[in-house]
Amino acid sequence: MMDLNVKTARLAQLMEERLDIRGAGFTAKVRRAGRLLPRHVREAAGLLIRALPLMDHPQLSRQMNPSELENAAHVVEVYLLDVDPWDRRRGIAVSWLSGLAFSLLVLAAAVVLVLVWRGYL
């Protein structure tokens, strides 16, 4: 049987490395990640979060299905290992720069429109 605390600590470390998400522990990082994680990964992480307090209790830990928890941890880990942090940062930068370029284009069009309206062009 796997140690859920060790597994979630590894997943929290991967979230920090791959998604640049800070926080104290796996639960806080999943909450901060929000929609950066796809729905199926959020659901798998939610199952792990619900199981964390139960695993410390000897009788309640028997209620959890170990293979289901292992599968949920595997789903989260596979997704996080597939994320390329540099590609993600590059996408954020390109998105920001394209928004800036569009804003400058609209500003230039507005300046030309005002110059034509005032009769300078």
Side-chain angles (χ1 to χ4, degrees):
M1 182 162 162
M2 70 172 193
D3 184 11
L4 191 61
N5 291 324
V6 172
K7 194 68 159 172
T8 54
R10 162 113 170 95
L11 293 175
Q13 178 187 8
L14 278 174
M15 288 180 79
E16 188 165 338
E17 291 171 2
R18 301 294 178 128
L19 297 176
D20 291 328
I21 295 178
R22 308 281 186 253
F26 181 67
T27 304
K29 288 182 182 184
V30 169
R31 188 176 302 119
R32 291 195 68 176
R35 295 196 178 243
L36 286 177
L37 300 173
R39 179 180 289 174
H40 72 282
V41 176
R42 281 195 317 263
E43 289 172 355
L47 177 66
L48 294 172
I49 290 170
R50 287 189 301 275
L52 276 172
L54 298 178
M55 294 308 278
D56 293 334
H57 195 279
Q59 290 178 337
L60 294 178
S61 65
R62 290 187 223 148
Q63 293 179 359
M64 301 307 299
N65 184 356
S67 63
E68 192 175 299
L69 294 176
E70 187 72 39
N71 185 32
H74 181 70
V75 166
V76 176
E77 185 173 17
V78 165
Y79 174 77
L80 290 174
L81 288 174
D82 193 39
V83 172
D84 182 12
W86 286 107
D87 186 44
R88 188 174 162 275
R89 289 183 190 119
R90 192 176 313 118
I92 290 170
V94 166
S95 175
W96 183 79
L97 288 173
S98 65
L100 180 65
F102 180 74
S103 297
L104 290 175
L105 186 66
V106 168
L107 179 65
V111 167
V112 168
L113 184 66
V114 167
L115 290 176
V116 167
W117 179 49
R118 300 284 297 203
Y120 294 112
L121 287 180

